[in-house]
Amino acid sequence: MISSVRLRTPTFTSAQLSTQKCSLPIIEHCSFPNNIHNGKQSMLCFHKPLHISSAESFALVAISHKRDSTRCEAYEADSSRPIEINIDLPDHQARKETAQTLRISIYFATWWALNVVFNIYNKKVLNVFPFPWLTSTLSLATGSLMMLISWAVGIAEAPKTDVDFWKTLSPVAVAHSIGHVAATVSMANVAVSFTHIIKSGEPAFSVLVSRFLLGETFPTSVYLSLLPIIGGCGLAAITELNFNMIGFMGAMISNLAFVFRNIFSKKGMKGKSVSGMNYYACLSMLSLLILIPFAIAVEGPQVWAAGWKTALEQIGPNFVWWVAAQSIFYHLYNQVSYMSLDQISPLTFSIGNTMKRISVIVSSIIIFRTPVQPINCLGAAIAIFGTFLYSQSNKGNKGSKK
């Protein structure tokens, strides 16, 4: 292997190079032409370090005021150690994607399980204690207390907020309070499955509000996906054996309120560095302050005391556990859902929310032995399928202003 190296002329001989230590000549220019040696092209290999085979192989000629080229022979040392650089991008990327998929799966499984447990205990409480305003208030109060304790003992880091943060959070809290109470009122009057079938129509409310109030337009596929949602919800409502207008309207109002909550959240939280967990904690606290006076005005402590006494007589001490469980699991499932937003895209979250409703509907029908007809199941399936189509059609679309 031959290379051409241009060197400054040194002041020592090859004999001195073999017997004495000296500094290597300074390389001014190095070129690696495609030389022909013995009829073959030779090229320099960079995979292994180069070693000079012999000091005598240098032909060092002193020429005054003139630079010349020196030929040197080099070989690749078989005993040299290669550079240990292990770049395994495909495997690393695959492990990263697997870990992300596992994390999302855990979020979804936890979210769905907590939501199912909440709905079961919430319905148990409302069956013997039909006071949705107090039940909703207790849910928010329990979650707020849990987060205050977590901040105090250092389990979670308290958020850094200011006056502007609470101002932007206020309309979100108002919408959240209305949506929460309306959904609880619905479940107090109709079956859990029916409430969630109606609530699966939330995407239709989102598109309609964005279209007529915010002036946003969507692709035709998004509008077409609303047809099975509206049709499926309508079919399930008409054929519902336990249909109740208060329960139906409660679910519809809840849909509308949560749509506005999402709109206000997007507008108000831009640029805010608050985690999903702490954001929902602050939302719960502010919603609690808003809800307390209305709960007292609508139902009142005297009604609550009489209803509480009656429930204890019917159920016993287990009733207290039911109230505590529904309050705790309400906060936990909402907290996990907000935490998942930090890890997944809105589209994935929307699909997960659709699957959550399926798990709640099926589990509530089994546990409470809700009488259903095949036409009810068909309506629910059509509505949920429409919600899935909406998620796919709305992928990457944020709406455009007219």
Side-chain angles (χ1 to χ4, degrees), residues 24 113 147 163 168 194 197 204 238 269 282 312 329 363 370 392:
L24 292 176
M147 289 308 302
V163 176
T168 56
F194 178 72
I197 290 173
I238 293 174
M269 294 308 298
C282 295
L312 284 175
F329 282 106
S363 62
T370 305
Q392 296 297 313

Side-chain angles (χ1 to χ4, degrees), residues 205-216 256 259-260 263 267 401:
F205 285 84
S206 178
V207 172
L208 295 176
V209 169
S210 299
R211 174 66 177 84
F212 294 105
L213 296 184
L214 302 180
E216 296 182 356
L256 188 61
V259 167
F260 279 104
I263 293 174
K267 289 187 175 182
K401 291 289 185 181

Side-chain angles (χ1 to χ4, degrees), residues 131 299-308:
F131 301 102
E299 294 175 347
Q302 294 181 350
V303 176
W304 295 337
W308 190 274

Side-chain angles (χ1 to χ4, degrees), residues 37-359:
H37 183 65
N38 294 331
K40 297 182 180 179
Q41 280 190 343
S42 63
M43 59 185 299
L44 188 62
C45 178
F46 290 91
H47 292 292
K48 297 180 181 179
L50 300 178
H51 294 263
I52 300 174
S53 61
S54 175
E56 284 77 6
S57 63
F58 280 89
L60 305 177
V61 182
I63 302 177
S64 302
H65 306 292
K66 185 177 181 182
R67 295 172 180 171
D68 198 358
S69 299
T70 301
R71 284 171 55 108
C72 65
E73 295 180 356
Y75 71 96
E76 295 176 351
D78 293 335
S79 60
S80 63
R81 296 180 60 186
I83 301 175
E84 297 181 357
I85 300 178
N86 185 17
I87 302 177
D88 198 4
L89 293 179
D91 290 346
H92 177 72
Q93 185 68 20
R95 288 194 298 268
K96 186 176 180 181
E97 292 178 356
T98 301
Q100 178 70 6
T101 302
L102 179 61
R103 182 164 52 249
I104 293 174
S105 300
I106 293 174
Y107 271 122
F108 277 2
T110 306
W111 177 19
W112 297 343
L114 293 173
N115 188 260
V116 168
V117 175
F118 158 72
N119 280 277
I120 292 172
Y121 279 107
N122 191 42
K123 185 60 176 177
K124 283 178 174 288
V125 170
L126 293 172
N127 284 340
V128 297
F129 187 73
F131 301 102
W133 287 84
L134 177 60
T135 304
S136 302
T137 303
L138 291 176
S139 300
L140 295 175
T142 301
S144 300
L145 180 61
M146 290 170 60
M147 289 308 302
L148 288 174
I149 294 175
S150 299
W151 293 340
V153 300
I155 298 177
E157 184 179 357
K160 297 179 180 180
T161 61
D162 51 21
V163 176
D164 291 336
F165 172 83
W166 293 101
K167 285 182 179 180
T168 56
L169 190 64
S170 296
V172 183
V174 171
H176 181 71
S177 301
I178 296 173
H180 178 37
V181 172
T184 309
V185 169
S186 177
M187 284 192 284
N189 290 274
V190 296
V192 176
S193 57
F194 178 72
T195 298
H196 280 273
I197 290 173
I198 301 303
K199 283 179 66 63
S200 65
E202 184 176 325
F205 285 84
S206 178
V207 172
L208 295 176
V209 169
S210 299
R211 174 66 177 84
F212 294 105
L213 296 184
L214 302 180
E216 296 182 356
T217 58
F218 298 86
T220 304
S221 58
V222 172
Y223 294 112
L224 293 177
S225 69
L226 302 183
L227 298 178
I229 295 176
I230 298 173
C233 290
L235 182 62
I238 293 174
T239 58
E240 174 63 34
L241 297 177
N242 299 314
F243 180 83
N244 179 280
M245 183 56 70
I246 296 178
F248 176 76
M249 292 304 300
M252 298 289 282
I253 294 172
S254 177
N255 282 340
L256 188 61
F258 284 142
V259 167
F260 279 104
R261 181 193 66 178
N262 296 336
I263 293 174
F264 292 144
S265 296
K266 292 178 182 178
K267 289 187 175 182
M269 294 308 298
K270 288 182 178 179
K272 301 294 183 181
S273 57
V274 179
S275 66
M277 180 179 66
N278 285 333
Y279 175 68
Y280 180 71
C282 295
L283 179 61
S284 296
M285 295 175 188
L286 190 54
S287 298
L288 176 63
L289 296 178
I290 296 172
L291 188 57
I292 287 177
F294 290 96
I296 294 175
V298 174
E299 294 175 347
Q302 294 181 350
V303 176
W304 295 337
W308 190 274
K309 182 179 179 181
T310 302
L312 284 175
E313 292 175 354
Q314 293 178 0
I315 307 301
N318 284 337
F319 171 71
V320 179
W321 160 247
W322 291 358
V323 174
Q326 72 93 26
S327 301
I328 293 172
F329 282 106
Y330 173 79
H331 175 78
L332 291 178
Y333 103 76
N334 277 285
Q335 188 178 72
V336 171
S337 69
Y338 272 84
M339 290 171 63
S340 66
L341 280 173
D342 292 338
Q343 303 292 328
I344 61 180
S345 66
L347 174 64
T348 305
F349 182 85
S350 178
I351 296 175
N353 198 39
T354 303
M355 302 304 294
K356 176 203 74 175
R357 299 207 185 280
I358 296 176
S359 63

